[in-house]
């Protein structure tokens, strides 16, 4: 991967508002499959819109994440002719259902898993026309680069636009400040050795060091594993693997060190013993209840934790293996897309633009989602209260951008790598049934087979 490609991923959400709705045909600039719609009030004349007639939008969202629903509620307040019929499922279920649903009964707006196979099967609408109509093509390239794909779904990073982010998310480590004080942790660790020391102190004090979901259809141990990969190595080769660059492999020496480190945490008993039976919602409940010192998760929980654990939760980027090294982490758009044959494609595109350009929508992205909105770099940002988790995650996003340390999620390398490979292998690792080396070898083997299919 080129240095430019890696760097552009870190443009993240130090970004914001576009007020430009450029002229486009009402019949849907994505392609000509959508129905013609009339102009919505306040839209630039001729731009795609939701019209003035009653519309019921069909949405398929990820359960457990309140921001998309908060956005649709606010949208209906501003555009009362638009109602939403929303179905929610866990991400792994969405991954399994996406091809069939998009082929048979495509929703107007859908939380998207990995895009390559969906583009290969011609199930998603090409959004380049909408990008020109709404001015998304004037945004920093890094915001949308991960959502561009070439013919047949490869390579990623170039070609037409097939998705849009509701914001730019980032992962790291949340911690319980009361439990941190109990073990003498007065500030976030600045090296992997310090983090290991905190884990050891917590275990000796009878505090669960890490509460992390790894049960059901989603292997949540991928979060600490990828943070460890970032601590040991450069994010560039990982992005190359995720973007299916020729010859890319996840089984590299730095990643072997990272996987072995995760294995040592398992052997030391640093994870909640119910991890392999714990889903995401249970993890959140336990962390909020004070049943764990650390939790690897994303900034989308910042607003929730500011409410549920006001003053008692903090956030930091996972530290590098060597003190003073550059931080790196998983960071990507919260990706949504429009089915190739969606009934209300223009309205869905208008909603996606509204999310990035409306002041109240942008405030929801920050206050509820804890993440930077999409859009032009010179737009205003909603103010955040100092000392909150949200303020800490936003500051961490700026640090990652400055350090050129963003990478996509390893679960996004192929359409089935998460459900069919990472999840079962990580569950076996947690149960002591495979070694860290066997884990990486198995995932790489599955990846090569899936890329060739």
């Amino acid at each position: 991967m080129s240095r430019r490609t890696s760097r552009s991923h870190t443009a993240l959400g130090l970004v914001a508002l576009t007020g430009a709705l450029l002229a486009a045909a009402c019949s849907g600039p994505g392609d000509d499959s959508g129905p013609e719609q009339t102009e919505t009030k306040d839209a630039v004349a001729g731009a795609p819109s939701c019209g003035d007639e009653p519309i019921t939008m069909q949405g398929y969202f990820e359960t457990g994440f309140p921001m998309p629903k908060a956005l649709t509620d606010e949208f209906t307040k501003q555009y009362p002719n638009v109602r939403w019929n929303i179905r929610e499922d866990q991400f792994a279920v969405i991954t399994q259902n996406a091809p069939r649903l998009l082929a048979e009964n495509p929703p107007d707006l859908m939380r998207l898993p990995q895009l390559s196979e969906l583009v290969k099967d011609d199930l998603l609408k090409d959004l380049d026309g909408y990008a020109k109509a709404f001015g998304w093509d004037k945004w920093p390239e890094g915001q949308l680069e991960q959502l561009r794909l070439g013919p047949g779904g490869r390579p990623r990073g170039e070609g037409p636009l097939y998705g849009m982010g509701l914001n730019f998310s980032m992962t790291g480590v949340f911690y319980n400040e009361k439990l941190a004080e109990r073990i003498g942790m007065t500030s976030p660790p600045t090296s992997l050795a310090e983090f290991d020391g905190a884990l050891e102190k917590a275990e000796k004090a009878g505090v669960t060091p890490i509460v992390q979901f790894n049960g059901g259809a989603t292997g949540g141990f991928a979060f600490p594993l990828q943070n460890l990969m970032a601590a040991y190595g450069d994010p560039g080769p990982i992005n190359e693997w995720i973007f299916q660059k020729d010859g890319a492999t996840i089984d590299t020496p730095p990643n072997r060190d990272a996987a072995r480190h995760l294995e040592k945490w398992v052997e030391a008993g640093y994870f909640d013993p119910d991890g392999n039976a714990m889903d995401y919602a249970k993890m959140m409940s336990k962390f909020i209840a004070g049943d764990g010192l650390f939790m690897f998760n994303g900034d989308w929980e910042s607003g929730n934790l500011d409410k549920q654990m006001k003053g008692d939760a903090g956030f930091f980027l996972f530290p590098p293996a060597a003190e003073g090294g550059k931080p790196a982490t998983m960071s990507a758009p919260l990706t949504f897309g429009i089915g190739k044959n969606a009934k209300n494609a223009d309205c869905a595109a208008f909603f996606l633009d509204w999310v990035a350009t409306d002041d109240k929508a942008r405030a929801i992205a920050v206050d509820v989602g804890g993440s930077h909105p999409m859009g032009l770099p010179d737009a205003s940002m909603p103010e955040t209260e100092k000392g909150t988790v949200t303020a800490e995650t936003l500051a961490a996003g700026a640090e990652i951008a400055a350090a050129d340390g963003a990478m996509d999620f390893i679960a996004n390398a192929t359409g089935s790598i998460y459900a069919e490979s990472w999840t079962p292998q990580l569950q076996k690792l947690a149960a002591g049934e495979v070694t860290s080396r066997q884990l990486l070898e198995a995932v790489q083997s599955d990846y090569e087979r899936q890329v060739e299919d």
Side-chain angles (χ1 to χ4, degrees):
M1 169 178 285
S2 70
R3 186 66 173 169
R4 180 199 61 78
T5 298
S6 177
R7 180 170 58 254
S8 67
H9 290 170
T10 69
L12 307 185
L14 304 177
V15 297
L17 176 68
T18 176
L21 293 176
L22 304 181
C26 286
S27 59
D31 60 31
D32 60 2
S33 63
E36 185 168 328
Q37 299 175 353
T38 58
E39 181 183 356
T40 300
K41 64 179 180 179
D42 300 330
V44 170
S49 72
C50 293
D52 296 318
E53 298 298 320
I55 292 178
T56 298
M57 298 290 289
Q58 303 298 323
Y60 191 21
F61 297 173
E62 185 175 1
T63 190
F65 297 88
M67 187 191 73
K69 181 62 166 55
L71 287 167
T72 58
D73 288 346
E74 176 60 31
F75 189 79
T76 295
K77 289 180 183 179
Q78 296 187 28
Y79 300 97
N81 66 306
V82 181
R83 296 289 187 267
W84 294 83
N85 180 22
I86 297 172
R87 171 185 174 183
E88 293 187 342
D89 272 324
Q90 293 185 0
F91 187 74
V93 178
I94 294 175
T95 299
Q96 295 170 355
N97 287 346
R100 175 185 55 80
L101 190 64
L102 286 166
E104 298 175 358
N105 187 25
D108 298 307
L109 191 68
M110 180 175 176
R111 172 73 168 102
L112 292 179
Q114 205 272 350
L115 301 180
S116 297
E117 280 77 6
L118 301 179
V119 173
K120 180 181 178 181
D121 294 337
D122 197 27
L123 297 174
L124 295 176
K125 184 175 286 292
D126 177 344
L127 303 183
D128 271 355
Y130 290 127
K132 293 178 181 178
F134 290 112
W136 305 341
D137 54 354
K138 304 298 189 296
W139 297 0
E141 182 183 358
Q143 290 185 43
L144 303 179
E145 189 174 34
Q146 296 184 36
L147 308 177
R148 294 190 177 279
L149 294 93
R154 294 184 65 190
R156 287 179 63 193
E158 58 187 67
L161 181 70
Y162 286 99
M164 173 59 70
L166 296 192
N167 60 11
F168 233 109
S169 297
M170 177 196 62
T171 65
V173 186
F174 292 97
Y175 67 101
N176 183 306
E177 293 189 352
K178 290 183 178 179
L179 295 180
E181 182 179 356
R182 179 173 161 184
I183 68 165
M185 187 183 113
T186 58
S187 61
T190 59
S191 70
L192 181 54
E194 281 190 19
F195 189 86
D196 283 342
L199 296 177
E200 183 178 3
K201 290 178 182 178
E203 196 274 333
K204 290 181 178 179
V207 173
T208 299
I210 306 171
V211 57
Q212 194 72 29
F213 79 104
N214 202 44
T218 50
F221 278 24
F223 283 69
L225 174 58
Q226 190 163 353
N227 274 273
L228 282 162
M229 289 177 173
Y232 275 103
D234 186 90
I238 298 173
N239 274 329
E240 291 180 358
W241 184 78
I242 297 167
F243 274 36
Q244 301 182 10
K245 300 296 183 181
D246 291 340
T249 179
I250 199 68
D251 190 12
T252 64
N255 291 344
R256 291 172 197 160
D257 290 339
R260 176 55 186 152
H261 207 113
L262 178 68
E263 187 178 25
K264 289 179 179 179
W265 286 353
V266 171
E267 294 168 348
Y270 289 158
F271 289 99
D272 187 298
D274 293 331
N276 265 0
M278 189 186 306
D279 62 16
Y280 182 90
K282 181 65 174 179
M283 174 189 72
M284 288 303 305
S285 296
K286 296 192 77 165
F287 183 76
I288 290 170
D291 291 341
L293 173 60
F294 296 126
M295 173 182 67
F296 289 82
N297 209 339
D299 53 9
W300 52 83
E301 291 292 355
S302 300
N304 180 34
L305 294 176
D306 277 328
K307 294 176 182 176
Q308 301 281 349
M309 298 178 67
K310 188 174 179 61
D312 291 334
F315 177 88
F316 60 92
L317 294 170
F318 191 71
E323 188 169 1
K326 290 185 177 182
T329 195
M330 302 128 64
S331 181
L334 180 61
T335 306
F336 279 70
I338 302 171
K340 175 72 177 295
N341 297 312
K343 180 180 178 181
N344 299 301
D346 280 4
C347 188
F350 181 83
F351 170 80
L352 291 171
D353 183 71
W354 171 88
V355 167
T357 61
D358 181 82
D359 287 345
K360 289 185 178 179
R362 292 175 61 78
I364 289 171
V366 173
D367 296 339
V368 180
S371 303
H372 287 277
M374 307 285 282
L376 291 172
D378 59 350
S380 60
M381 282 285 291
E383 293 185 3
T384 56
E385 183 181 349
K386 292 182 179 180
T388 60
V389 180
T390 299
E392 291 177 344
T393 55
L394 292 174
E399 185 178 351
I400 285 294
D404 189 20
M407 52 183 163
D408 203 348
F409 188 23
I410 54 176
N412 292 339
T414 74
S416 54
I417 199 75
Y418 196 18
E420 295 182 6
S421 195
W422 281 122
T423 292
Q425 294 301 327
L426 286 166
Q427 290 171 346
K428 290 177 182 179
L429 182 76
E433 297 174 1
V434 300
T435 66
S436 57
R437 186 64 184 274
Q438 289 171 330
L439 178 147
L440 292 181
E441 290 173 348
V443 170
Q444 180 62 24
S445 176
D446 289 344
Y447 169 87
E448 292 173 1
R449 172 180 52 81
Q450 292 165 15
V451 168
E452 290 174 358
D453 288 345

